[in-house]
Amino acid sequence: MVKQTIQIFARVKPTVRKQPQGIYSIDEDEKLTPSLEIILPRDLADGFVNNKRESYRFKFQRIFDQDAKQETIFENIAKPVAESVLAGYNGTIFAYGQTGSGKTFTITGGAERYSDRGIIPRTLSYIFEQLQKDSSKIYTTHISYLEIYNECGYDLLDPRHEASSLEDLPKVTVLEDPDQNIHLKNLSLHQATTEEEALNLLFLGDTNRMIAETPMNQASTRSHCIFTIHLSSKEPGSATVRHAKLHLVDLAGSERVAKTGVGGQILTEAKYINLSLHYLEQVIIALSEKHRSHIPYRNSVMTSVLRDSLGGNCMTTMIATLSLEKRNIEESISTCRFAQRVALIKNEAVLNEEIDPRLMIIRLQKEIQELKDELAIVTGERRTEMLTEAELLQLEKLVTSFLEDQDPESKLEVGADMRKIHHCFHYLKKLLNDKIHGMSRASSEVRGQDCQEPLQEEEYKKLRDILQQRDNEINILVNMLKKEKKKAQDALRFSSTDRGELRRPCGSPSPLGNPDSPRTLPPSAPTQATQDSSPSQYRSGFLHRKTGMREEMSLGRQEAFEIFKRDHADSVTIEDNKQMLKQRFSEAKALGESINEARSKIGRLKEEITQRHVQQVALGVSENIPVPSVPDLLEEKLRSQLEEEKRSYKSMFTRLKALKVEIEHLQLLMGKAKVKLQKEFEDWWAEEATSLQVSSPAVNSSSHMKPAPQILESQHERPQLLPNKSGVYTRKILPSPGPLLPGGEQNGPSNPLEDSIRERPVSSVPLTGDSQTDSDILAFIKARQSILQRTG
């Protein structure tokens, strides 16, 4: 329990230049309590004696003069109250003063600058910052915003507030329970998990407030507003919950109707405001008198809501806002007198802790069950009702955890209920039987696994066969490459030494190895042509999706694509465009840096010209010299530099725009070239794969894996590049000449089998039947042949 009087502070509003300022002084001696002295000069009353007081002195906890900042107000007034709310105590901060003295600016703040934030937004920021730092407790925050207008309460956070008139909205009523606790009906509570959500609620409520223009203030609040922060905290695993609430009250300003001369609706509002403030003062006076038995809280809605804040369980702070202009001196003195009476009230703030009702219910239910179990054991009464499914499941979990616990002193506590004890024994018996059956089932599974071993052996054998098949394919390809290289070297050697011996008369038939001789179709050519007439059935097995990326190609196909791209007619154009694009990118980057540098130079030059103007004006004011109409030489130089930088900036910017158009055009050309290259490669690959697949069945039918030796010998052929219809060079394999005798004849007769496969585009390699594998093998062969042709 914390016993303390209500803390009072004074804040002086800066005076308007047009209005004469009253006479006051602030005495802030460290040893004494700060005091404010207001001097009211006596007026001559036509020769009559004037015995009015001339000096008024009031004491406050602290007095903030006209130059006080909003941050200083928060640090000295609101921050201690917010810290007590976080500790679990109730708190209240309210501002009191006449209309136009700065109450709303102090509580809510101004909307023009961020530094003008008032107590409410700064308190929200501080509270949520502390909640994020403290991870030892679980916090819950709720916000409510009450408006008391013409002695009727309204919820400012009601979503119907903007669309409906004030008379159609439900009114907030005050209810009191037997313990004299106040409850507000029709006042909504909104949960705020972050500072942003809380500030949005504050801004929503401020837009719904009643504001009008009066002679004393251009935007005067015509209602009392109470912004309340409800905070609850709880430690994990604890049954104790702390509740605290912080009232931030912005009272409407008091004003003299005769002095302001208002009328109509504003006059009615002024009557209700002055009446509610009068009831507030009555409550303050009654609380300051020691022997007073009745406190008139129920006279107004505001005093009923603030019952705890005034003489109750709350740590309360009051801010007296003063407008010390000559015309407002009397109202300021009245405000200070009210603050002195408020300072006499003593509050007793108590830590608001309570037991969580849900945990209390669980604890009492457990205690009742234990008492019932003990009673059943003592009386020997047996229960006949069945246990629920949840209870049975809970017992089984207890038994399982008991069996898994390695502590020898652990106990299985299920209470004194014999039904639960019997069920635990039945469950233990079931677990034991399941374990025995599980062991027998495991042995039968071992036997079953022995039966499944032949199936696994078959899979292993199949995998070994596939692996052996791949090894054979690799060996075939390596041997073919070696023989192709050897044949090419022999052909070059014989052609260089025996060039004269290879020539024959024009009428004689050309030798078998002469590549310039006309070729005759082999006997199998008609059947092969008929097979080539319908290649669509093989096309789908070799083609990848048109939208596929390079990562989806196999290694052989990637290598073939690289060779195809290198030999393509557009490869040089693509490389040139790529280099040009890189050059344009680097040029655009350099231009961008130059443009940024020119922009910064322009800004600096403008700032120097402005400073030069300010210096000239200041010099003219200080020395009373008229400002020269003609700019000086330094300013002329700066302006010429500025114009030059602007011209440079415009030219560079124009060049950058042209570069951007050129880069976009180059990117478009690159994209089209890549699409064209990919499409032509897909067409060439499909055509080659289809022709190879059609020519392979004759060999595959004789031997699936091992080709005949004579066929392998006849596969020593020489690749040659031939242009196809699309203009892309494809490789056609031509036979290499055999060893020649000194007389110019070939060694041995021609082989019919060799003649039958001469015109095939690729060596008759045994295919596996898998389209992907066959494509890899054929692409690998074609790539190697292309390399040999370029090197040989």
Side-chain angles (χ1 to χ4, degrees):
M1 179 183 296
V2 179
K3 293 184 179 181
Q4 68 173 14
T5 57
I6 296 179
Q7 305 292 305
I8 58 172
F9 297 87
R11 185 180 189 183
V12 180
K13 178 187 176 182
T15 56
V16 184
R17 292 182 181 179
K18 299 179 181 179
Q19 299 294 335
Q21 183 176 346
I23 303 172
Y24 73 96
S25 63
I26 299 175
D27 185 11
E28 290 186 341
D29 192 356
E30 296 181 355
K31 298 180 180 179
L32 301 176
T33 306
S35 61
L36 172 67
E37 183 179 8
I38 301 175
I39 298 173
L40 187 63
R42 297 174 183 174
D43 296 329
L44 295 177
D46 296 332
F48 294 99
V49 178
N50 190 352
N51 292 325
K52 292 175 60 177
R53 287 180 59 183
E54 186 175 355
S55 175
Y56 296 87
R57 184 179 294 273
F58 305 100
K59 294 183 178 182
F60 294 91
Q61 261 73 29
R62 185 166 177 180
I63 303 167
F64 300 94
D65 207 351
Q66 300 180 14
D67 56 350
K69 303 296 182 183
Q70 293 282 68
E71 184 178 0
T72 307
I73 299 295
F74 169 75
E75 291 290 335
N76 292 275
I77 299 177
K79 188 175 180 180
V81 180
E83 291 175 350
S84 65
V85 170
L86 290 171
Y89 296 93
N90 295 335
T92 299
I93 302 174
F94 69 94
Y96 182 90
Q98 71 173 116
T99 299
S101 60
K103 298 183 300 300
T104 303
F105 181 79
T106 302
I107 296 296
T108 305
E112 297 180 357
R113 294 178 297 178
Y114 182 75
S115 59
D116 290 342
R117 292 179 304 153
I119 288 178
I120 295 179
R122 292 178 184 270
T123 303
L124 290 174
S125 301
Y126 177 76
I127 287 177
F128 280 100
E129 180 182 356
Q130 297 301 317
L131 296 187
Q132 290 181 355
K133 292 180 180 179
D134 188 7
S135 59
S136 61
K137 296 180 182 179
I138 302 172
Y139 290 93
T140 307
T141 308
H142 290 81
I143 303 295
S144 66
Y145 209 171
L146 173 65
E147 178 186 37
I148 302 175
Y149 176 71
N150 291 349
E151 204 56 29
C152 295
Y154 298 97
D155 184 11
L156 286 176
L157 302 181
D158 192 344
R160 297 169 293 179
H161 210 290
E162 297 180 359
S164 305
S165 62
L166 201 62
E167 291 79 9
D168 298 335
L169 293 175
K171 295 180 175 59
V172 178
T173 56
V174 181
L175 303 177
E176 185 177 349
D177 60 9
D179 296 332
Q180 294 185 349
N181 294 322
I182 298 298
H183 303 277
L184 300 176
K185 185 180 179 182
N186 296 329
L187 181 63
S188 60
L189 280 178
H190 298 263
Q191 185 174 2
T193 56
T194 60
E195 177 188 352
E196 183 180 1
E197 295 180 3
L199 291 176
N200 289 336
L201 293 173
L202 170 64
F203 298 150
L204 174 62
D206 286 341
T207 55
N208 295 331
R209 290 187 64 174
M210 294 298 298
I211 297 175
E213 182 178 356
T214 64
M216 301 294 293
N217 192 4
Q218 187 175 2
S220 175
T221 54
R222 313 305 295 165
S223 61
H224 310 295
C225 289
I226 303 175
F227 185 87
T228 308
I229 305 171
H230 302 266
L231 190 65
S232 62
S233 61
K234 175 186 174 183
E235 294 182 359
S238 175
T240 305
V241 181
R242 288 185 179 180
H243 296 283
K245 58 184 177 180
L246 174 60
H247 293 304
L248 300 171
V249 186
D250 180 16
L251 298 176
S254 60
E255 56 190 9
R256 293 185 180 182
V257 175
K259 187 175 181 179
T260 57
V262 295
Q265 181 66 23
I266 299 179
L267 176 61
T268 305
E269 294 170 352
K271 290 179 181 179
Y272 279 107
I273 291 171
N274 291 338
L275 183 62
S276 62
L277 293 177
H278 170 67
Y279 289 142
L280 175 62
E281 188 171 7
Q282 282 187 347
V283 171
I284 297 298
I285 293 173
L287 289 171
S288 61
E289 295 178 358
K290 295 183 179 179
H291 304 290
R292 194 67 180 265
S293 59
H294 173 67
I295 309 297
Y297 288 117
R298 296 187 181 89
N299 285 352
S300 66
V301 177
M302 183 179 61
T303 53
S304 299
V305 174
L306 299 178
R307 172 180 291 187
D308 285 341
S309 304
L310 305 172
N313 176 24
C314 190
M315 301 177 70
T316 307
T317 300
M318 173 190 167
I319 305 173
T321 56
L322 308 174
S323 177
L324 293 179
E325 299 174 357
K326 266 193 174 182
R327 61 173 185 170
N328 299 327
I329 285 291
E330 294 180 356
E331 286 83 357
S332 300
I333 293 174
S334 176
T335 300
C336 292
R337 284 175 174 170
F338 179 80
Q340 302 304 305
R341 285 193 290 268
V342 169
L344 300 176
I345 301 174
K346 184 176 292 186
N347 286 351
E348 296 181 359
V350 181
L351 194 63
N352 301 308
E353 289 185 345
E354 65 178 16
I355 304 297
D356 191 353
R358 293 176 297 177
L359 296 178
M360 180 63 70
I361 290 172
I362 294 173
R363 185 182 301 175
L364 292 176
Q365 288 178 348
K366 184 178 179 181
E367 185 177 353
I368 290 171
Q369 188 62 39
E370 291 177 354
L371 292 175
K372 286 183 178 180
D373 294 339
E374 292 180 4
L375 183 62
I377 291 177
V378 171
T379 58
E381 180 181 357
R382 299 185 62 181
R383 303 182 188 178
T384 58
E385 64 270 14
M386 299 295 292
L387 294 173
T388 62
E389 291 293 333
E391 291 175 341
L392 295 177
L393 185 60
Q394 182 67 24
L395 289 174
E396 292 175 0
K397 288 182 180 179
L398 289 175
V399 172
T400 304
S401 60
F402 172 72
L403 294 176
E404 293 175 354
D405 193 358
Q406 301 297 330
D407 188 6
E409 297 182 358
S410 61
K411 297 180 181 179
L412 178 60
E413 297 181 356
V414 295
D417 193 348
M418 294 304 297
R419 300 172 301 167
K420 296 182 179 180
I421 295 172
H422 287 310
H423 181 74
C424 290
F425 277 111
H426 286 305
Y427 187 66
L428 282 171
K429 183 178 180 181
K430 179 184 176 183
L431 291 178
L432 183 60
N433 292 333
D434 290 344
K435 186 175 181 181
I436 294 172
H437 290 305
M439 293 174 63
S440 61
R441 194 180 303 111
S443 61
S444 63
E445 288 178 357
V446 170
R447 292 193 298 270
Q449 289 178 358
D450 296 338
C451 298
Q452 292 178 359
E453 286 182 359
L455 297 177
Q456 295 180 355
E457 287 294 333
E458 292 180 0
E459 293 180 359
Y460 294 154
K461 185 178 180 181
K462 184 178 180 181
L463 292 174
R464 283 198 300 270
D465 293 340
I466 294 175
L467 185 60
Q468 185 64 33
Q469 180 180 347
R470 297 295 185 266
D471 293 338
N472 293 336
E473 293 170 0
I474 293 172
N475 293 330
I476 292 171
L477 294 174
V478 172
N479 292 331
M480 289 180 63
L481 288 174
K482 290 180 179 179
K483 292 179 180 180
E484 285 288 334
K485 186 175 182 181
K486 185 177 180 182
K487 287 290 185 182
Q489 292 175 355
D490 293 339
L492 289 175
R493 185 170 62 253
F494 283 116
S495 63
S496 62
T497 56
D498 301 325
R499 187 179 300 274
E501 297 177 0
L502 290 174
R503 295 181 179 177
R504 292 181 180 273
C506 296
S508 61
S510 61
L512 183 65
N514 191 0
D516 296 330
S517 62
R519 300 183 180 275
T520 58
L521 289 174
S524 60
T527 59
Q528 182 177 352
T530 56
Q531 291 175 356
D532 290 340
S533 61
S534 60
S536 61
Q537 55 183 339
Y538 304 103
R539 189 178 182 88
S540 61
F542 290 94
L543 285 177
H544 284 261
R545 295 189 301 272
K546 293 288 184 182
T547 59
M549 301 299 291
R550 289 287 306 278
E551 288 75 3
E552 297 181 4
M553 294 184 180
S554 59
L555 294 176
R557 189 168 180 178
Q558 289 182 10
E559 189 171 358
F561 180 73
E562 293 297 331
I563 297 172
F564 180 85
K565 183 172 69 175
R566 185 173 58 232
D567 297 336
H568 197 270
D570 295 338
S571 61
V572 179
T573 306
I574 292 175
E575 288 298 326
D576 292 343
N577 288 339
K578 188 183 297 183
Q579 295 298 327
M580 191 180 299
L581 189 61
K582 288 182 180 179
Q583 182 182 357
R584 295 297 181 268
F585 267 124
S586 60
E587 187 177 352
K589 183 179 179 181
L591 269 177
E593 294 176 355
S594 302
I595 287 173
N596 291 333
E597 186 178 357
R599 187 186 294 116
S600 61
K601 285 184 180 179
I602 291 172
R604 287 197 301 270
L605 289 173
K606 287 183 178 178
E607 187 177 356
E608 289 179 5
I609 293 172
T610 305
Q611 290 179 357
R612 184 67 180 170
H613 274 293
V614 172
Q615 290 175 1
Q616 290 180 354
V617 172
L619 184 62
V621 171
S622 61
E623 299 181 2
N624 198 11
I625 300 174
V627 180
S629 59
V630 180
D632 57 354
L633 296 178
L634 179 60
E635 186 176 349
E636 287 291 339
K637 183 178 179 181
L638 292 175
R639 289 189 181 276
S640 63
Q641 292 179 3
L642 180 62
E643 293 297 328
E644 183 179 356
E645 290 296 334
K646 284 184 177 180
R647 287 194 296 270
S648 175
Y649 176 82
K650 289 181 180 179
S651 63
M652 288 189 293
F653 189 75
T654 306
R655 174 59 181 159
L656 183 61
K657 290 174 66 176
L659 276 178
K660 181 181 178 183
V661 174
E662 189 174 353
I663 287 171
E664 291 177 353
H665 182 67
L666 286 174
Q667 288 176 341
L668 181 62
L669 292 179
M670 289 281 290
K672 289 183 178 180
K674 287 181 180 179
V675 171
K676 178 183 177 183
L677 179 64
Q678 182 73 17
K679 184 176 183 303
E680 291 181 356
F681 171 72
E682 293 289 344
D683 295 339
W684 173 78
W685 180 269
E687 182 179 353
E688 293 296 324
T690 305
S691 62
L692 292 176
Q693 184 70 14
V694 170
S695 63
S696 62
V699 183
N700 288 341
S701 61
S702 61
S703 174
H704 181 68
M705 282 298 300
K706 298 179 180 180
Q710 60 270 21
I711 295 178
L712 290 177
E713 292 295 330
S714 65
Q715 291 172 353
H716 305 154
E717 295 173 350
R718 193 154 46 103
Q720 179 180 355
L721 292 176
L722 294 176
N724 58 8
K725 294 179 181 180
S726 61
V728 181
Y729 284 89
T730 59
R731 292 163 180 78
K732 185 173 183 180
I733 309 301
L734 299 178
S736 58
L740 297 178
L741 298 176
E745 296 180 355
Q746 289 185 345
N747 187 10
S750 62
N751 192 350
L753 183 59
E754 183 177 357
D755 292 336
S756 65
I757 63 173
R758 265 177 199 161
E759 294 298 324
R760 295 185 182 177
V762 179
S763 308
S764 300
V765 182
L767 300 179
T768 62
D770 183 5
S771 60
Q772 184 65 37
T773 306
D774 297 340
S775 300
D776 293 345
I777 294 171
L778 297 173
F780 183 76
I781 294 171
K782 293 176 75 64
R784 291 297 184 268
Q785 289 173 350
S786 177
I787 294 170
L788 288 175
Q789 181 185 6
R790 289 195 299 272
T791 58

